[in-house]
Structure formats: structure tokens, C-alpha cells
Amino acid sequence: MGPDALSDRRWERARRELIETIRERGIDDLEILRAFDLVPRHLFLPEAVHHRAYEDAPIPIGFGQTASQPSLQALYLQTLGIGPNDRVLEVGTGSGYQTALLAHLAAHVYSIERVRELSVRARAALDRLRVPNVALLVGDGTVGWSRYAPYDAILVAAAAPQVPPALLAQLAPGGRMLIPVGGREEQRLLLYRRSGEGFEHEEVTRCAFVPLLGRFGWAE
Ligand code: SAM
């Protein structure tokens, strides 16, 4: 057995422990837990932080950004109830880890990141794992991605001062969106649902995300 097999086993054990933590935090959807089992988080992180890859914590990925806490990402997935026919828009690709989880649950994922280098790295990790159903865009996600709209689910992984109107407009009938809204330090994670002619919304939890920068976000 070579050293790679040994380190694979080490990652596998760490990943199982992370899944157990996520389960203890109330995530019981088997498809979501399976996605966490199938996606090696360390491959989406800079090598310098590989040893922390399976902590249930936000991890720095450079450019002042972080890969979000896995149990919070699991809460996003469970709250949105992503199904196999769903087309999903993600704002804030970051490391691409959440994008890869989504790719296991949805039909197609469209993900926007404003930092080009992060998008390039995410593409490399997704290609390495041969994830086929993801399109990435470098740009301002506060205006959405109208070309592929409408979306069954929209995940915003950065904190907005208010809900960007373009994102609501790009939700399909019955579509759901999760977005942290509030101040720069602390926000409320809001769930929006498009129903009939309007939108309903409710607070899911309190959270603290990096700022959403852009036309309908914070000033750069
Ligand atoms: N879910 C990601 C992961 O698993 O690594 C973490 C996302 S990180 C918390 C938030 C990301 O949103 C950062 O990479 C940041 O550059 C990006 N971002 C901020 N404003 C943005 C905007 N207007 N459009 C697209 N991406 C944006």
C-alpha cells in the first residue's frame, strides 16, 4: 500500500467525522449526507490549510475570503430542498466546494464569483473530480445570471445590505432563495419563496458572512 492510499484513508476518516457532526446538527437528508461523503473538501482548499479541511469551520481561501462552515452549507441545502431536476444559481463560488455538493443534488448549477483567481481554482478542482453539470462565471452576482434564468433555487453565500431585486426576478414559480441580509458584522439568513404573483419570506437563523460586493450589494 503506497502513501497515497494511507492519506486517502486519513481523509476518509476525517470526512466521516465531519458528516457525523453535520448529522448531530440536525441534517438528516441522506442525499445531502451522501454528497458530503462524495466530495473531498481538501481538494478545494489551499494546501496550507489541508490539515483543517474537515473541521466544521470556515477556512481561509485567500483574497480575504473563506470557504463557509460545512454544517451551515448543509443547512442551506436542506432548507432549499434541492431536487434532481432543479436548476440552481449560486452567488459566491469561493472555493467551489458548495458548488460541487450542489452538483450532486441538482440537475445543473450556475455559479458566479467576482474574484477571478478563485473561480479559476474552483474550475480546476471541479474538473479534477470530473463534475460535469456546473457552469462558472466571473462577475457581479448581485445582478444574477439572466441567460439561464429562471432558477428553482438561488444560494447567496455572501452578506447583502438588502435583497438584490434581480435575484428575486430570476426565481422560477415555486423557486426558493437563501440569502444573508443585514449589517457587515451580523445578518439574518432569509428564505424567500416565489408563490403566485408574489414572494413570502422567513428568517432561518442568524449568521455572519463576508460581504456581498457589487451593484446591489456593498460598495467595493
Ligand atoms: N460557498 C463558498 C465555498 O464553499 O467556498 C464560500 C463562499 S465565500 C463565503 C463568499 C464568496 O462570495 C467569496 O468568494 C466572494 O469573493 C464572493 N462574492 C462577494 N460578492 C460577490 C458578488 N457580487 N458576486 C459574486 N461573488 C461575490
Side-chain angles (χ1 to χ4, degrees):
M1 191 194 316
D4 279 355
L6 272 178
S7 78
D8 280 353
R9 273 220 225 138
R10 206 187 65 217
W11 295 128
E12 214 172 286
R13 201 166 44 237
R15 196 151 59 238
R16 289 278 148 82
E17 281 168 20
L18 174 62
I19 291 168
E20 201 43 46
T21 303
I22 291 171
R23 242 166 42 82
E24 281 163 9
R25 298 202 168 192
I27 309 300
D28 53 9
D29 182 310
L30 291 181
E31 288 304 316
I32 295 174
L33 297 172
R34 183 166 167 272
F36 276 92
D37 198 23
L38 290 174
V39 182
R41 192 179 188 221
H42 63 282
L43 294 185
F44 291 85
L45 300 177
E47 257 188 61
V49 290
H50 270 191
H51 61 290
R52 298 189 53 203
Y54 295 95
E55 288 177 15
D56 186 29
I59 304 285
I61 54 174
F63 308 93
Q65 305 302 328
T66 52
S68 310
Q69 184 178 6
S71 57
L72 185 55
Q73 294 181 314
L75 179 68
Y76 262 68
L77 299 173
Q78 185 155 285
T79 305
L80 286 168
I82 312 273
N85 298 320
D86 284 353
R87 301 167 69 258
V88 178
L89 176 69
E90 178 185 42
V91 177
T93 314
S95 68
Y97 177 61
Q98 175 90 303
T99 321
L101 295 171
L102 282 165
H104 278 287
L105 299 168
H108 208 100
V109 184
Y110 303 86
S111 184
I112 312 173
E113 170 57 54
R114 59 180 285 282
V115 179
R116 177 173 301 278
E117 291 86 342
L118 291 178
S119 184
V120 168
R121 277 198 222 151
R123 178 85 272 164
L126 292 164
D127 285 351
R128 186 170 168 189
L129 293 171
R130 297 198 171 84
V131 179
N133 52 342
V134 171
L136 300 183
L137 177 72
V138 176
D140 177 7
T142 68
V143 298
W145 195 345
S146 57
R147 182 170 176 188
Y148 298 108
Y151 302 99
D152 302 298
I154 300 180
L155 293 80
V156 184
Q162 71 268 315
V163 180
L167 296 182
L168 284 177
Q170 290 176 26
L171 268 185
R176 296 85 61 204
M177 171 165 78
L178 269 176
I179 179 167
V181 180
R184 277 195 176 250
E185 304 300 325
E186 205 205 345
Q187 307 90 33
R188 298 184 304 148
L189 183 61
L190 299 180
L191 172 66
Y192 278 80
R193 188 175 285 107
R194 183 167 215 152
S195 57
E197 290 303 295
F199 297 92
E200 296 162 359
H201 76 275
E202 64 186 89
E203 178 177 330
V204 175
T205 186
R206 297 260 160 183
C207 54
F209 274 85
V210 295
L212 181 74
L213 304 175
R215 183 161 163 214
F216 296 107
W218 295 95
E220 303 202 18

